[in-house]
Amino acid sequence: MRRPLYRPARTAAVLTATLVLLFPLAGYAQNGRAALENVAKAMGAASVKSIQYSGSGVNFQVGQNFSPDTPWPRFNVKSYTRTVNYESATIRDEIVRTQGETPPRGGGGQPLSGEQRQIFVASGDFAWNVVGDVVNPVPVALVDRQLQLWTTPHGVVKAAMANNATVSGRTISFTAPGRFRVQATIDAQNLVERIDAVAPNAVLGDVAIEVRYSDYKDFAGVKFPTKIRQTIASYPALDLTVGDVQPNVAVDVPVPDPIRQTPTPYARVTTQMAADGVWYITGGTHHSVLIEMKDHVILVESPLNDDRAVAVLGEVKNLVPSKPIKYVIATHHHFDHAGGLRAIAAEGVPVITHDVNKPFLEKALAAPASVLPDRLAKSGKKGAVEGMRDKRVLTDGARTVEILNIPGNNHHAGIVMVYLPKEKLLVEADVYNPPAANAPPAPTVNSNWVNLSDNIKRLNLTVDQILPLHGRILPLAELHKAIGHSH
Ligand SMILES: [Zn+2]
């Protein structure tokens, strides 16, 4: 064994002994496997094939803040149950929550009246949500759920072993290619105390996720933290106190047939002509609108992610093959609505949005996506963003497109709608999501619906039809009816 000439052997030995006392893993720096096995042993990981843990606390709606520079909206979590099967790579969260901020500070799902039950699942390469009897595919959530699965206290040890982790001091690092990079920090008892991960995000490119595990207790021979705190993109995402942990519960969560049979739901495109040269592009959960001008087209909204944007871009080419997209209008920065902007920016198309969203989107459209390079990262381009305040008008002499701020709602501080005066059409997102055509009327009136109606009146807009970016085309009269107006 070669020793450095400048350091006597005895000093090196003393140094190593000291490091071992301070950091139990340091002695294994050359032998990651042995170090990992010590952690697995301390955590009881080898015997854990599945686990269920539950508790309560607060969580936050990531990507749904009132404006881009405020924290994610907070909710009180009455009950939280996470069930994980490591052998089938299945994770299922069941959450019951209530309004957190009083008075509400605004943002997605604000204010929440009563209790909301949410079920989020991922298994293998499928992700879906359960709402009552209905299952909805959510491919955009898949990587985050897989990361959640493989950064649970035992999951991270298993994933480290499966991905040839390197061990250095108290730090275990590994990469699941195309999915995430993970660094786990181990405490003096060889328990996982912290996760620092980087994962792909449709809006942000690379996103930082931090998890802290503390106050470990013994549950039937398995160590588990009773405090779990998480941040996503530096804002709090979860603060959970764990009360119950059950290792090796039976977990059987089959992938529902409608989910298995639709592996690429974002590729589904259904188009409806709303007026001559105006198309409502739907097919899934989030819609876009295409407006044809004399020598170009304008796209309103590029939601979800690259996959959806590619499908929408394909449809734009089908509908108007000869004209380039001059602008994409982004109604607001919420992640479900802005997730396809990077792919449009990769085509060199500038974004028009309210000034509130401009600095955020400029940063997002210049951010690296190194974990899973997306179309923008591969293009080498940076997106351009044009801001606006109350109103911006685009015209080719024949058709006029008005982009208008919607002030005073509690969904978002800088959300715009698109008005076509000649066609008497109004495109809006999230301030009014109509119920299904045959659904009973909503039991309560949402203040944002009233706000939209008030803004239409204030601006003297003549609207025949609303083209909501969730739901279906409907007459303005239906909004009036929903808020109890008869006119
Ligand atoms: Zn929104």
Side-chain angles (χ1 to χ4, degrees):
M1 184 179 164
R2 280 187 59 202
R3 297 185 189 283
L5 294 174
Y6 50 84
R7 184 194 288 161
R10 183 181 295 177
T11 312
V14 169
L15 191 65
T16 306
T18 310
L19 280 175
V20 170
L21 287 174
L22 288 174
F23 308 118
L25 288 175
Y28 297 112
Q30 303 303 313
N31 189 346
R33 190 82 205 171
L36 277 174
E37 271 159 13
N38 280 350
V39 175
K41 202 174 150 201
M43 301 277 304
S47 66
V48 178
K49 312 286 183 215
S50 67
I51 201 159
Q52 183 173 77
Y53 58 95
S54 50
S56 59
V58 293
N59 78 357
F60 300 79
Q61 195 71 38
V62 175
Q64 297 289 323
N65 37 356
F66 186 56
S67 66
D69 52 359
T70 55
W72 315 127
R74 193 182 80 229
F75 296 84
N76 295 320
V77 175
K78 200 174 148 188
S79 73
Y80 174 108
T81 302
R82 170 167 286 180
T83 311
V84 177
N85 184 330
Y86 295 111
E87 296 186 319
S88 61
T90 301
I91 182 166
R92 181 184 186 278
D93 289 349
E94 182 161 352
I95 297 165
V96 177
R97 63 184 193 170
T98 59
Q99 175 67 19
E101 284 133 0
T102 315
R105 270 193 245 147
Q110 297 288 311
L112 179 60
S113 61
E115 285 184 358
Q116 181 183 36
R117 178 179 299 271
Q118 299 173 304
I119 299 175
F120 305 131
V121 195
S123 186
D125 282 327
F126 294 95
W128 67 97
N129 295 346
V130 183
V131 184
D133 299 336
V134 180
V135 289
N136 296 316
V138 278
V140 72
L142 178 65
V143 174
D144 181 61
R145 291 180 193 176
Q146 289 176 329
L147 177 71
Q148 295 290 326
L149 197 172
W150 295 116
T151 53
T152 53
H154 300 93
V156 75
V157 180
K158 292 172 185 287
M161 287 180 150
N163 287 283
N164 295 316
T166 59
V167 181
S168 169
R170 297 164 57 201
T171 304
I172 299 169
S173 309
F174 65 90
T175 297
R179 293 177 187 229
F180 34 78
R181 285 198 294 266
V182 173
Q183 190 177 298
T185 309
I186 307 306
D187 72 7
Q189 279 73 49
N190 270 335
L191 302 174
V192 179
E193 67 175 6
R194 181 181 170 136
I195 308 280
D196 291 281
V198 180
N201 179 279
V203 175
L204 301 171
D206 293 336
V207 63
I209 293 141
E210 184 193 300
V211 193
R212 286 170 186 256
Y213 295 125
S214 59
D215 300 6
Y216 272 84
K217 286 186 183 150
D218 193 284
F219 297 90
V222 169
K223 292 282 192 295
F224 204 86
T226 56
K227 269 281 176 199
I228 299 177
R229 282 172 300 153
Q230 190 173 135
T231 68
I232 297 181
S234 302
Y235 287 125
L238 176 69
D239 193 332
L240 188 71
T241 300
V242 175
D244 187 45
V245 179
Q246 294 181 47
N248 296 318
V249 287
V251 183
D252 183 23
V253 184
V255 179
D257 284 341
I259 302 297
R260 196 178 285 285
Q261 286 153 8
T262 318
T264 56
Y266 294 157
R268 276 192 307 215
V269 172
T270 307
T271 294
Q272 189 179 348
M273 191 184 257
D276 189 32
V278 181
W279 293 274
Y280 189 51
I281 302 177
T282 68
T285 51
H286 292 68
H287 314 328
S288 299
V289 171
L290 182 68
I291 304 165
E292 184 177 3
M293 308 296 276
K294 211 166 259 172
D295 60 0
H296 63 272
V297 294
I298 297 163
L299 183 63
V300 184
E301 212 81 318
S302 185
L304 296 167
N305 65 3
D306 262 26
D307 289 345
R308 182 61 186 173
V310 167
V312 170
L313 282 170
E315 184 66 353
V316 169
K317 272 271 166 288
N318 286 338
L319 293 167
V320 190
S322 58
K323 297 180 186 177
I325 304 175
K326 187 170 181 186
Y327 292 113
V328 56
I329 297 167
T331 58
H332 63 312
H333 89 289
H334 283 172
F335 287 16
D336 55 328
H337 286 267
L341 290 174
R342 283 176 61 94
I344 307 294
E347 305 291 312
V349 177
V351 178
I352 299 177
T353 191
H354 192 273
D355 282 346
V356 161
N357 308 300
K358 189 179 179 231
F360 171 83
L361 286 181
E362 277 175 335
K363 201 174 160 201
L365 297 176
S370 63
V371 178
L372 180 63
D374 58 8
R375 289 169 78 91
L376 183 61
K378 287 175 186 162
S379 77
K381 291 186 181 128
K382 283 181 185 177
V385 182
E386 299 180 16
M388 55 165 282
R389 292 203 66 77
D390 294 335
K391 181 175 185 177
R392 178 161 175 190
V393 179
L394 306 173
T395 182
D396 61 3
R399 195 195 306 277
T400 300
V401 177
E402 295 184 9
I403 312 166
L404 302 161
N405 183 30
I406 314 174
N409 71 86
N410 67 26
H411 186 78
H412 196 277
I415 187 167
V416 297
M417 57 186 171
V418 176
Y419 174 55
L420 303 180
K422 208 175 77 189
E423 297 78 4
K424 300 186 175 65
L425 296 174
L426 185 73
V427 183
E428 59 79 27
D430 288 358
V431 283
Y432 178 51
N433 298 330
N438 52 0
T444 54
V445 175
N446 185 316
S447 65
N448 291 329
W449 307 348
V450 179
N451 172 263
L452 177 63
S453 171
D454 288 350
N455 275 298
I456 291 170
K457 205 179 297 168
R458 175 182 65 86
L459 294 162
N460 278 317
L461 311 183
T462 306
V463 176
D464 280 347
Q465 311 261 355
I466 302 178
L467 277 55
L469 297 179
H470 297 285
R472 61 195 160 85
I473 298 182
L474 71 167
L476 178 68
E478 216 177 304
L479 169 64
H480 286 154
K481 201 174 157 201
I483 62 175
H485 285 194
S486 53
H487 53 92

